[in-house]
Amino acid sequence: MSSLMIRAADYVNEKLSGRSFDGRVRLSIEKEGQIVVDEYGARMVSQDGSTTSNEDVDCLVSTDKDTFSAVLDGHLDPMTAFMTGRLQISGDLGAAAKLGTVLR
C-alpha cells in the first residue's frame, strides 16, 4: 500500500478518534489503493478492493492521487472536487456526506 493511503488512513482515524461513524465508505485512489471507513475506523484494503471479510460498502468515493492529496492537505474542498468531477461518488450520497462532516 502506498504512503498516501497509509497517511489517509491515519488522518481519518485521527479525525474519528472519540467519534462514531454510522456507515461504510470505500475510498479508492487511482493507482494508489483503497481504504474502508466504518464504525471501527479506517483500514487499508487490497489493490483490487477485496477485504478478508468481503464486506459491502454503502458508498464508493473515487478520485486520482493529485486530487486526493489536495483534499487531504486542505488545498481543495471535497465538495468543489465533487462538483467539478474530480471526485466521483457512487452509492449512498448520505454516507459520503456523513464522512465529510466527520473529517472537517
Side-chain angles (χ1 to χ4, degrees):
M1 210 50 69
S2 77
S3 61
L4 175 62
M5 298 313 294
I6 293 168
R7 192 177 80 155
D10 289 346
Y11 176 81
V12 172
N13 284 325
E14 180 181 313
K15 290 291 190 173
L16 285 173
S17 180
R19 300 176 80 175
S20 64
F21 180 70
D22 179 30
R24 182 170 287 141
V25 177
R26 183 182 311 268
L27 299 172
S28 178
I29 312 307
E30 184 179 307
K31 299 179 183 176
E32 291 294 314
Q34 299 183 17
I35 60 174
V36 170
V37 181
D38 60 17
E39 67 271 18
Y40 304 108
R43 64 189 173 285
M44 292 177 277
V45 296
S46 66
Q47 281 295 105
D48 65 4
S50 64
T51 65
T52 55
S53 64
N54 236 358
E55 62 200 305
D56 291 325
V57 294
D58 302 320
C59 176
L60 172 65
V61 178
S62 305
T63 191
D64 60 69
K65 178 181 179 178
D66 293 337
T67 300
F68 188 71
S69 292
V71 169
L72 197 59
D73 293 337
H75 297 118
L76 177 63
D77 178 66
M79 183 59 77
T80 300
F82 174 70
M83 298 301 285
T84 58
R86 294 176 62 188
L87 185 141
Q88 296 79 40
I89 300 173
S90 59
D92 183 0
L93 294 177
K98 286 180 199 175
L99 182 60
T101 300
V102 168
L103 297 179
R104 289 184 190 181

